[in-house]
Amino acid sequence: MAGGVAAREGSGSRRVTIDREGPLLIEGPVEVVMEDGTVAVSDRFVVAVCTCRRSRTYPWCDTSHRGHARPARRPRGKEARRDDDR
């Protein structure tokens, strides 16, 4: 196991699509291991995994992210120092 991800023997690679404004789309079936060790399983063709944590069906996306703006990110590096100095 490397980086918290265990590959099953004989398993092929999975395609993951990242959408900045929405969920991770993963070609299924998938198993998601939660922080507490529980496992969520989906055998769907494509699985939407929530990244905003607003979903009532977490870890699966229920589109709760729609209509909510993500908070603006604070600039890093030199820009952050300039803002802090003001």
Side-chain angles (χ1 to χ4, degrees), residues 37-69:
T38 59
V39 178
V41 178
S42 177
D43 60 357
R44 291 182 169 201
F45 179 72
V46 175
V47 179
V49 177
C50 176
T51 58
C52 72
R53 293 194 173 251
R54 291 185 185 108
S55 176
R56 292 184 196 145
T57 59
Y58 190 81
W60 316 124
C61 178
D62 67 0
T63 67
S64 292
H65 61 275
R66 292 183 184 169
H68 290 79

Side-chain angles (χ1 to χ4, degrees), residues 11 14 18 20 22 24 26 36 46 52 54 59 63-64 69 83-84:
S11 66
R14 300 276 183 225
I18 300 172
R20 180 173 240 172
L24 289 176
I26 305 172
D36 65 359
V46 175
C52 72
R54 291 185 185 108
T63 67
S64 292
D83 289 342
D84 292 342

